[in-house]
């Protein structure tokens, strides 16, 4: 790729006496390609444990790619991580020696290129191979580029065979390799949901997430917001009402929604539909006193305040001091004055606030995050069964603490963005055994229950808790339970 200055570096024969360092300073830095940005991001995720979404956002801001190239880089990052196990399975058939000992960037480059060959029909195979070889030459030596060229050429010749569905008798192995999930996780889900539903969950986790906005009802109607979003994109965006939440719009083709005027002026927020249901299940009324125990970055907090018509008090707590500012910034952007952001350990909130003093307490607990794999695919490879047990122990402690703050007749809502029964249904069952003063509350707002019933996402009779799976609405996997203190 040419440098920003094209072929002319700005030097001439008369400049020969300049120091080499000065000459180098005049040469514009070569702009990275989409594939190089993706490769850099993937290497940092693999080596440093960076979150893919945060690392990619930083890389895209630095690279200033065109919209089309930014889309390609995004596709390559998420697709390569999502399909990592299948890609390794196919590559290991072609790299006969030392596959597991490859230099990290070389392994990542092979994965990223294999993803293009095996999964992306719109990219010509020769383009994927040639770009990989160019990158290898820039980063390594001729031996590495030759090896990568040979492996990918062999893959290109064998594409028809390599794209055939895997025939594996063991359902754990078949699902695990086909959809690229670790065996331990597939086995757990088969035990909880059965083989067919587990396969649906895994397939849905590899789908790109759709974008959704939460309309601020204090500023405008959902219909008006829909019109504004469509007009802002010059008619290119597709905007439709959510089935799940009456405050949500599903938006595609609008680019960066955080860059829209409506977002900057507080007309809408970015939030997944499943996450929006949490505040709606809380059903806070104007004038109430509400506590959000683990509030950052403030999506559910601000939604609670909107539902309360910004009348009453919403205390938003988070353990990290720097996240207090994030909550305050969101409140300011949306024009909400009822929110008070505080910093503290959620496991010590009962010593900070008067017992039995809140009408509604929301505990959106730390969790394994397996409901948001399509947004953070590296979770599949970084979490373990031990992590689930560890986080469940913390959740138990936080639930006991949050319960102390609910007034008699008040509401405790427990939610997670995972689909692990150990962290969800089992957690609630154990809590009820310890706290006879609490009962599950099935009297959810009608507008919340209706779409869940229509989609058969909840069992009848309804118990007061729901496990949303990613394939049901195309949203994040989420668990929500509503309990009332007797």
């Amino acid at each position: 790729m040419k440098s920003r200055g094209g072929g002319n570096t700005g030097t001439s024969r008369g400049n020969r006496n300049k120091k080499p360092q000065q000459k180098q300073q005049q040469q514009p830095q070569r702009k990275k390609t989409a594939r190089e940005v993706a490769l850099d991001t993937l290497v940092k995720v693999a080596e440093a444990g960076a979150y893919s979404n945060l690392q990619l956002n930083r890389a895209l801001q630095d690279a200033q790619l065109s919209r089309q190239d930014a889309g390609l880089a995004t596709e390559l990052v998420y697709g390569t991580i999502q399909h990592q196990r299948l890609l390794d399975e196919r590559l290991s058939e072609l790299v006969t020696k030392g596959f597991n000992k490859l230099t990290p960037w070389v392994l990542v480059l092979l994965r990223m290129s294999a993803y293009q060959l095996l999964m992306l029909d719109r990219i010509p195979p020769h383009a994927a191979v040639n770009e990989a070889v160019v990158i290898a030459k820039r980063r390594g030596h001729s031996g590495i580029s030759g090896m990568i060229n040979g492996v990918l050429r062999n893959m290109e010749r064998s594409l028809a065979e390599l794209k055939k569905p895997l025939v594996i008798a063991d359902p754990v192995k078949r699902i695990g390799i086909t959809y690229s999930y670790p065996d331990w996780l597939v086995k757990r889900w088969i035990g909880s949901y059965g083989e067919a539903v587990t396969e649906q969950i895994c397939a849905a986790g590899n789908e790109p997430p759709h974008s959704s906005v939460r309309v601020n009802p204090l500023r405008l109607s959902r219909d008006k917001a829909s019109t504004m979003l469509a007009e802002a994109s010059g008619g290119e965006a597709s905007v439709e009402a959510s089935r799940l939440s009456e405050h949500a719009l599903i938006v595609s083709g609008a680019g960066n929604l955080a860059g829209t005027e409506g977002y900057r002026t507080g007309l809408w927020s970015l939030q997944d539909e499943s996450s929006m249901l949490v505040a709606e299940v809380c059903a806070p009324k104007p004038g109430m006193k509400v506590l959000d125990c683990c509030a950052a970055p403030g999506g559910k907090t601000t939604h609670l305040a909107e539902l309360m018509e910004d009348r009453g008090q919403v205390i938003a707590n988070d353990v990290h001091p720097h996240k207090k500012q994030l909550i305050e910034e969101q409140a300011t952007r949306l024009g909400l004055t009822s929110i008070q952001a505080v910093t503290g350990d959620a496991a010590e909130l009962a010593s900070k606030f008067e017992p039995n003093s809140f009408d509604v307490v929301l505990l959106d607990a730390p969790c394994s995050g397996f409901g948001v794999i399509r947004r953070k695919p590296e979770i599949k490879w970084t979490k373990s069964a031990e992590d689930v047990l560890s986080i469940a122990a913390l959740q138990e402690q936080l639930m006991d603490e949050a319960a102390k703050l609910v007034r008699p007749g008040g509401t405790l809502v427990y939610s997670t963005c995972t689909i692990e029964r150990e962290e969800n249904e089992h957690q609630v069952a154990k809590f009820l055994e310890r706290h006879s003063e609490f009962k599950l509350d099935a009297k959810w707002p009608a507008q919340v229950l209706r779409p869940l019933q229509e989609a058969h996402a909840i069992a009848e009779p309804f118990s007061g808790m729901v496990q949303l799976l990613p394939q049901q609405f195309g949203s994040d996997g989420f668990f929500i339970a509503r309990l009332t203190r007797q």
Side-chain angles (χ1 to χ4, degrees):
M1 191 173 186
K2 288 185 178 180
S3 65
R4 291 177 186 173
N8 185 358
T9 62
T11 60
S12 67
R13 293 180 182 179
N15 291 331
R16 284 179 178 175
N17 293 330
K18 287 187 177 181
K19 294 180 181 179
Q21 185 176 2
Q22 291 176 320
K23 185 176 179 180
Q24 289 175 358
Q25 288 175 342
Q26 288 186 351
Q27 294 177 343
Q29 186 176 1
R30 184 182 61 82
K31 189 176 180 180
K32 289 183 178 179
T33 67
R35 288 177 174 84
E36 287 175 316
V37 171
L39 177 64
D40 289 343
T41 302
L42 287 165
V43 169
K44 287 181 179 176
V45 171
E47 288 194 298
Y51 289 116
S52 57
N53 57 339
L54 300 180
Q55 186 61 46
L56 178 61
N57 286 340
R58 282 192 289 266
L60 291 177
Q61 288 174 2
D62 293 341
Q64 295 294 302
L65 298 176
S66 68
R67 184 171 173 178
Q68 183 176 4
D69 282 349
L72 175 59
T74 301
E75 171 73 53
L76 294 180
V77 168
Y78 286 116
T80 301
I81 299 173
Q82 284 166 337
H83 297 278
Q84 178 176 308
R85 185 177 180 185
L86 177 61
L87 299 175
D88 284 359
E89 184 78 11
R90 293 313 198 190
L91 284 167
S92 64
E93 298 171 15
L94 302 172
V95 182
T96 55
K97 291 183 180 180
F99 177 73
N100 294 321
K101 296 181 180 179
L102 290 172
T103 303
W105 75 263
V106 175
L107 176 58
V108 168
L109 180 57
L110 283 172
R111 284 173 177 163
M112 187 177 78
S113 305
Y115 173 68
Q116 296 169 70
L117 292 171
L118 294 170
M119 305 289 181
L120 297 183
D121 293 335
R122 68 180 182 275
I123 294 181
H126 68 271
V129 176
N130 291 341
E131 286 292 326
V133 173
V134 169
I135 292 173
K137 287 179 178 178
R138 286 177 181 154
R139 281 186 170 244
H141 52 73
S142 59
I144 292 177
S145 61
M147 183 273 290
I148 287 176
N149 183 58
V151 170
L152 296 180
R153 293 294 180 196
N154 285 340
M155 177 171 282
E156 184 181 356
R157 286 190 288 268
S158 307
L159 280 180
E161 186 66 26
L162 293 173
K163 286 185 177 182
K164 289 181 179 179
L166 296 168
V167 180
I168 302 174
D170 180 0
V172 172
K173 291 287 185 186
R174 180 183 64 80
I175 294 173
I177 296 175
T178 300
Y179 300 100
S180 289
Y181 284 75
D183 286 346
W184 74 267
L185 193 54
V186 174
K187 186 175 181 180
R188 282 177 75 99
W189 288 350
I190 289 177
S192 296
Y193 299 105
E195 182 180 337
V197 174
T198 295
E199 187 159 4
Q200 293 171 5
I201 292 170
C202 292
N206 289 339
E207 293 294 323
H210 59 229
S211 298
S212 55
V213 301
R214 188 191 80 231
V215 178
N216 183 351
L218 304 182
R219 296 283 183 88
L220 77 171
S221 68
R222 184 165 71 167
D223 288 344
K224 177 63 175 175
S226 178
T227 301
M228 290 180 65
L229 280 161
E231 291 176 349
S233 68
E236 294 183 6
S238 169
V239 186
E240 60 182 88
S242 164
R243 289 188 297 154
L244 260 184
S245 170
E246 63 179 7
H247 299 106
L249 290 168
I250 311 303
V251 187
S252 60
N256 179 17
L257 291 170
T260 58
E261 183 67 17
Y263 177 83
R264 288 193 294 268
T265 57
L267 300 183
W268 51 73
S269 299
L270 308 185
Q271 190 176 8
D272 184 77
E273 299 164 274
S274 295
S275 177
M276 293 182 211
L277 292 187
V278 176
E280 295 177 25
V281 170
C282 289
K285 301 293 188 292
M288 281 187 169
K289 186 179 180 182
V290 177
L291 172 64
D292 187 351
C293 298
C294 306
K300 298 176 187 68
T301 297
T302 53
H303 196 188
L304 289 165
E306 289 171 0
L307 294 176
M308 294 165 61
E309 300 173 9
D310 202 27
R311 292 188 284 136
Q313 184 181 24
V314 181
I315 295 177
N317 175 78
D318 198 84
V319 69
H320 301 291
H322 70 279
K323 291 187 176 180
K324 176 175 177 284
Q325 183 179 351
L326 294 178
I327 300 168
E328 292 171 338
E329 288 172 352
Q330 294 302 315
T332 300
R333 180 181 63 82
L334 293 162
L336 301 169
T337 59
S338 60
I339 295 172
Q340 177 188 351
V342 299
T343 300
D345 188 340
E348 300 173 356
L349 285 174
S351 62
K352 190 170 185 177
F353 298 103
E354 184 181 347
N356 313 328
S357 61
F358 288 90
D359 299 291
V360 177
V361 174
L362 166 60
L363 175 59
D364 185 49
C367 68
S368 58
F370 291 131
V372 295
I373 280 177
R374 57 166 56 125
R375 299 182 189 278
K376 300 176 181 178
E378 66 277 3
I379 289 174
K380 293 192 285 188
W381 315 118
T382 58
K383 299 288 184 180
S384 66
E386 290 73 24
D387 291 326
V388 174
L389 291 175
S390 176
I391 203 74
L394 174 60
Q395 292 163 348
E396 184 174 315
Q397 180 185 4
L398 296 180
M399 283 191 79
D400 287 343
E401 193 74 4
K404 299 173 184 177
L405 296 167
V406 182
R407 68 165 177 81
T411 298
L412 171 63
V413 171
Y414 174 76
S415 64
T416 73
C417 59
T418 191
I419 61 175
E420 278 294 309
R421 294 203 189 280
E422 187 72 23
E423 302 175 63
N424 296 338
E425 294 93 338
H426 297 173
Q427 193 69 264
V428 172
K430 290 187 292 184
F431 173 82
L432 292 173
E433 289 177 0
R434 298 192 304 273
H435 297 272
S436 59
E437 73 275 21
F438 279 88
K439 301 293 182 184
L440 274 168
D441 182 0
K443 294 179 181 178
W444 289 20
Q447 74 272 14
V448 176
L449 282 178
R450 191 179 306 112
L452 299 177
Q453 292 167 332
E454 291 173 353
H456 305 289
I458 54 177
E460 297 293 350
F462 180 51
S463 65
M465 57 182 174
V466 64
Q467 175 66 75
L468 292 173
L469 300 175
Q471 73 273 18
Q472 291 171 321
F473 295 93
S475 60
D476 292 342
F478 238 89
F479 176 81
I480 310 171
R482 175 179 165 126
L483 305 106
T484 301
R485 183 167 190 168
Q486 305 301 301

